[in-house]
Amino acid sequence: MRSLPLLCTGLGFLLAGCAVGPDYHREKVDTATAVPPDWHWKKAEPNDTLPRGAWWALYHDAALDALEAQAGGGNQDLRAAVARVDKSRAEARLEGAAFFPQVSLDPQVQRMRLSGNSPQIHQFNFPGIAIPPATVNSFSVPVDLSYEVDLWGRVRRSFESARAQAEATVADFENVRLTLTADVAVDYFTIRQYDSERKILRATVETRRKSLDIAQKRVRAGRATALDIHQAETELANSEADLAEVAQSRAQTQDALAYLCGQPASSFVLAENPLAALPPTVPVGLPSHLLERRPDIARAERTMAGKSAEIGVAQAAFFPQVSLTGQFGYLSYSASNLFTWPSSVWSIGPTVQLPIFSGGKNAAQLRAARADYDAAVADYRGTVLGAFRDVEDSLAAERFLRQRAEATDRAATAATQARRLSEERYRSGQINYFEVTESQRTELAAQRAQAQILGQRLYASIRLVKALGGGWGAAAPRAEEPKPILSPLQAVEP
């Protein structure tokens, strides 16, 4: 009898030779509409286990590297995503437990009083014979066994679905991590852009103070009117207001960056440092396998696999469910002879549950499962199409922003020359102060546009990194990644 659980397990695996429902095959994306022919992309096949590396090392910024490390170890959204991975793995293992017999030990000790007037005794009606009550002991040590024979693959399909969901949750984790690293980089360069604008505005404030001083001297000399002073004071006040506005935006962005890094905003300080570096050069002919690393594609594909398995679960409900139950143990009135052969008891037998009428419940569940799968297929295809769109949008932004930067640089250079000429002409009395004001405004707008477009170019490069699933592989220099909280890429096995 000790081999009974093994025999039942072996019998179950022998009987579980088929599984109803479709075997999963990844859906293809229409290459005629989805794949850009000039890039020679092939059909997307999720492969989010490909290495990404520390993609932010492309920017060669030690401060950014340190912030990414802080975010990888302290961000609370990332910790929550890790917990969701742990939960989904546990749920998958819970489904996998159905592959094995469930064995339990339920020892009992009872002392009970039996009635002399119990209905079972009274029905025999022995005249003149009184049955006295009795007090007895009962000792039992039963071992219970239950096992569902997976004839139609219901258990296997349920586990396939749970495992696919666990893998989808891992993809969600990777998406949270990729989004986090991208957000940290965007906020960091946004702060640097504000630093550049603050530098420009401080210089502007200083220039307009000098202009106000010149206007006051000209008025005292009788060469200008009070209107020039009021105009100069207005421009100075506007520049100071712009400086305060940029400082406010920088402080708020710094607080957002502190949250991403898991730090209190009150104690998080990032030293001022204007933008200096240009965005990294995008290599020509990016390989399509980079796009396959996108975790949202992996999640959509694994969700589709899980929904396919759920069709098999729904179909299995139309067939009989066979279970094996058994018990072996000892039962005795005394503990002294409990574990002896005469005290042994056992039972074994199959249980068959055959669906006869369910009011259309099983058919409705099957239709719902198929509809869920069709929706998952559409979501997967849409995710792949969206991935191509994201890459193309990022490349277009990178290309046109580079052209805008070149034009803005020329405009800033010309505006600076025009401002200098106008100030010289004003000092010599050739023009009024209004023209000086206009030239100063034009220069300030051009210089701020320079800083803003440089920031936009950096944002576009980060969006391209994110669209490709994290950098561009071998083209990116390797750097040590921040130590993760855990590695959620283990395979979930039954």
Side-chain angles (χ1 to χ4, degrees), residues 193-205 243 246 272 274:
Q193 174 194 315
Y194 288 142
D195 290 343
S196 296
E197 292 190 64
R198 291 174 75 184
K199 180 179 179 181
I200 294 168
L201 285 167
R202 287 195 190 102
T204 301
V205 167
L243 181 59
V246 171
E272 186 171 339

Side-chain angles (χ1 to χ4, degrees), residues 282 395-409 453 457:
V282 180
L395 289 172
E398 192 275 336
R399 181 170 64 255
F400 292 117
L401 282 170
R402 184 172 63 250
Q403 296 175 7
R404 287 180 60 188
E406 293 171 354
T408 304
D409 290 344
I453 290 176
R457 292 181 65 190

Side-chain angles (χ1 to χ4, degrees), residues 6-230:
L6 294 177
L7 290 175
C8 292
T9 303
L11 178 61
F13 281 116
L14 288 174
L15 292 175
C18 63
V20 296
D23 291 328
Y24 173 67
H25 299 286
R26 181 177 296 127
E27 290 290 326
K28 294 183 178 180
V29 179
D30 184 3
T31 56
T33 59
V35 181
D38 55 333
W39 274 31
H40 304 288
W41 291 84
K42 65 183 180 66
K43 176 174 69 70
E45 298 177 357
N47 196 2
D48 59 324
T49 58
L50 287 174
R52 294 177 176 83
W55 59 263
W56 49 89
L58 288 165
Y59 298 92
H60 305 288
D61 193 314
L64 176 60
D65 295 344
L67 290 170
E68 294 288 2
Q70 289 184 37
N75 182 264
Q76 299 306 309
D77 293 335
L78 192 62
R79 290 181 180 273
V82 170
R84 288 191 290 271
V85 170
D86 290 340
K87 178 184 177 182
S88 64
R89 283 179 176 162
E91 290 174 345
R93 293 188 179 101
L94 182 64
E95 292 290 340
F99 283 110
F100 305 97
Q102 306 300 303
V103 182
S104 62
L105 178 65
D106 187 20
Q108 294 181 357
V109 178
Q110 288 184 323
R111 181 174 176 81
M112 67 189 76
R113 186 177 186 274
L114 302 178
S115 171
N117 296 320
S118 66
Q120 291 85 354
I121 296 177
H122 183 69
Q123 66 179 335
F124 294 103
N125 192 19
F126 298 107
I129 300 176
I131 306 297
T135 301
V136 298
N137 296 327
S138 175
F139 298 86
S140 64
V141 183
V143 177
D144 296 318
L145 168 71
S146 64
Y147 177 66
E148 178 183 346
V149 181
D150 195 22
L151 286 173
W152 318 110
R154 187 194 71 82
V155 174
R156 275 174 290 165
R157 296 301 191 195
S158 296
F159 177 71
E160 287 175 9
S161 177
R163 183 170 58 184
Q165 182 57 46
E167 293 171 348
T169 309
V170 173
D172 283 338
F173 167 83
E174 292 296 342
N175 193 49
V176 170
R177 182 158 62 177
L178 178 59
T179 301
L180 170 64
T181 55
D183 288 347
V184 168
V186 167
D187 283 355
Y188 173 77
F189 286 122
T190 299
I191 291 173
R192 294 310 183 211
Q193 174 194 315
Y194 288 142
D195 290 343
S196 296
E197 292 190 64
R198 291 174 75 184
K199 180 179 179 181
I200 294 168
L201 285 167
R202 287 195 190 102
T204 301
V205 167
E206 185 62 28
T207 297
R208 289 183 176 175
R209 282 177 180 161
K210 293 179 180 178
S211 297
L212 174 60
D213 183 63
I214 294 172
Q216 291 172 338
K217 290 179 179 179
R218 286 176 57 83
V219 169
R220 287 194 296 269
R223 300 175 61 187
T225 66
L227 177 62
D228 290 358
I229 294 178
H230 295 319

